[in-house]
Amino acid sequence: MQRHRVVSTTVASVGYDDRTAVLQIEFVQGQVYEYFMVPASVFHGLMKAASPGRFFGEFIRDKFRFRAL
């Protein structure tokens, strides 16, 4: 999955697969996680957010099943 860089002190890059509804997030410290069954609207909101880290904390963290890669 191709990830796109974002301007954030927490999130380094973000990718999304429309077909599987999987959101992939790379954090600035190097960890990469996949989040499952994420609506495309959440991905688009994250990409447009003034603060991707804050958006992640409010709308993604603890809201979707995930795994570390």
Side-chain angles (χ1 to χ4, degrees):
M1 173 183 313
Q2 180 179 347
R3 290 193 304 264
H4 305 278
R5 291 271 176 218
V6 295
V7 177
S8 172
T9 59
T10 307
V11 178
S13 64
V14 177
Y16 185 73
D17 185 329
D18 284 312
R19 187 178 52 80
T20 61
V22 172
L23 176 69
Q24 197 174 83
I25 298 180
E26 176 190 11
F27 293 92
V28 295
Q29 293 182 339
Q31 313 95 318
V32 178
Y33 290 87
E34 286 187 333
Y35 295 84
F36 302 99
M37 298 180 67
V38 177
S41 60
V42 173
F43 164 67
H44 294 297
L46 177 60
M47 295 303 291
K48 293 178 181 178
S51 173
R54 185 172 297 152
F55 187 95
F56 169 78
E58 187 171 342
F59 298 103
I60 300 169
R61 180 188 292 144
D62 300 327
K63 306 271 191 294
F64 299 96
R65 188 171 56 86
F66 69 93
R67 71 172 177 160
L69 296 183

